[in-house]
Amino acid sequence: MRSTRWTGRDGSQRRGFEILVDELKVISGAPRRDRVVLAAKGLSSIEKLLRDRASGRRRDVSLADLSGMLGSVRESLEQEAAGERL
């Protein structure tokens, strides 16, 4: 584990931690998740990021980042819809 420090774009001091792993064993697989539920959670997260960005609390998230997130949610819903048609 190591910590890093840097100065953010706004001039504030930032600090982060990294955990380096040599080996990772997966004990059991994750259960299959419902894409609609995941999409709803994703939209909720995106909505919160948009509110935080609009209020100035988050400056590290660009509109391009948010657009990419929305694209992922859309793809997930399209895959779910395609699966229902089969």
Side-chain angles (χ1 to χ4, degrees):
M1 188 165 106
R2 69 178 173 191
S3 65
T4 57
R5 292 179 188 217
W6 68 95
T7 302
R9 291 181 189 162
D10 60 355
S12 64
Q13 293 296 312
R14 305 285 186 170
R15 186 173 167 179
F17 294 94
E18 294 177 291
I19 299 175
L20 305 174
V21 178
D22 291 328
E23 183 178 339
L24 177 66
K25 287 186 180 182
V26 178
I27 304 294
S28 65
R32 186 175 181 280
R33 304 262 179 154
D34 183 359
R35 285 189 178 121
V36 175
V37 172
L38 292 176
K41 288 180 180 181
L43 287 173
S44 176
S45 297
I46 293 166
E47 183 180 36
K48 182 178 182 332
L49 284 171
L50 280 167
R51 280 195 309 268
D52 288 350
R53 187 178 188 278
S55 69
R57 287 190 299 259
R58 293 289 301 261
R59 296 183 183 175
D60 59 331
V61 180
S62 71
L63 291 178
D65 294 335
L66 292 164
S67 175
M69 292 175 197
L70 284 171
S72 295
V73 170
R74 179 182 40 78
E75 287 175 19
S76 179
L77 289 172
E78 287 173 351
Q79 289 172 358
E80 184 67 20
E84 288 178 358
R85 284 187 288 245
L86 295 177

